[in-house]
Amino acid sequence: QVQVVESEGGLVQPGGSLRLSCAASGSIFNIHNMYWHRQAPGKQRELVALISTTGTTNYGDSVKGRFTISRDNAKNTVILQMNSLKPEDTAVYYCNVNGYETNREWFDAWGQGTQVTVSS
């Protein structure tokens, strides 16, 4: 099995910054794509950012130019650096990782989610 654990979120003032990290562990053979999603109260879950095996990135329109996703393949970790935060960034943020396990089965694992609140 593969486990995904996010770092704690927190409360930050508008205009501030926050860094989320996520580590995958377990029976991992290789990791393909790594994602951050978020879900705000009363809204559908949305893609925030993704990074591929080769380092290609893609961002949701609402976070382009403010958020940066990166990964450390040696540590099976993905980072989301969030700058210029806005109240509308308040949400539960979820890390999502896919790839192959050591038994060559495909996995698609999700973290439990971490709360990010942007408020003065």
Side-chain angles (χ1 to χ4, degrees), residues 3 6 10 12 17 20-22 28 30-31 41-42 61 66 69-70 72 75 81-82 88 101 105-107 113 119:
Q3 297 81 39
E6 299 111 340
V12 62
S17 298
L20 299 179
S21 63
C22 167
I28 297 170
N30 61 25
I31 292 177
D61 288 341
R66 299 188 298 122
I69 189 170
S70 60
D72 183 334
K75 298 180 179 179
Q81 178 66 44
M82 303 183 291
E88 51 263 43
E101 294 189 60
E105 291 286 332
W106 180 257
F107 73 87
S119 175

Side-chain angles (χ1 to χ4, degrees), residues 45-83:
R45 189 172 296 184
E46 63 173 347
L47 174 68
V48 175
L50 73 90
I51 184 166
S52 73
T53 304
T54 59
T56 300
T57 58
N58 196 11
Y59 297 91
D61 288 341
S62 61
V63 306
K64 283 180 182 176
R66 299 188 298 122
F67 291 12
T68 302
I69 189 170
S70 60
R71 64 191 283 172
D72 183 334
N73 292 327
K75 298 180 179 179
N76 291 337
T77 60
V78 59
I79 304 295
L80 184 68
Q81 178 66 44
M82 303 183 291
N83 298 327

Side-chain angles (χ1 to χ4, degrees), residues 91-112:
V92 177
Y93 284 71
Y94 297 89
C95 179
N96 168 216
V97 175
N98 60 36
Y100 285 96
E101 294 189 60
T102 52
N103 62 4
R104 302 306 190 263
E105 291 286 332
W106 180 257
F107 73 87
D108 185 52
W110 288 75
Q112 296 280 352

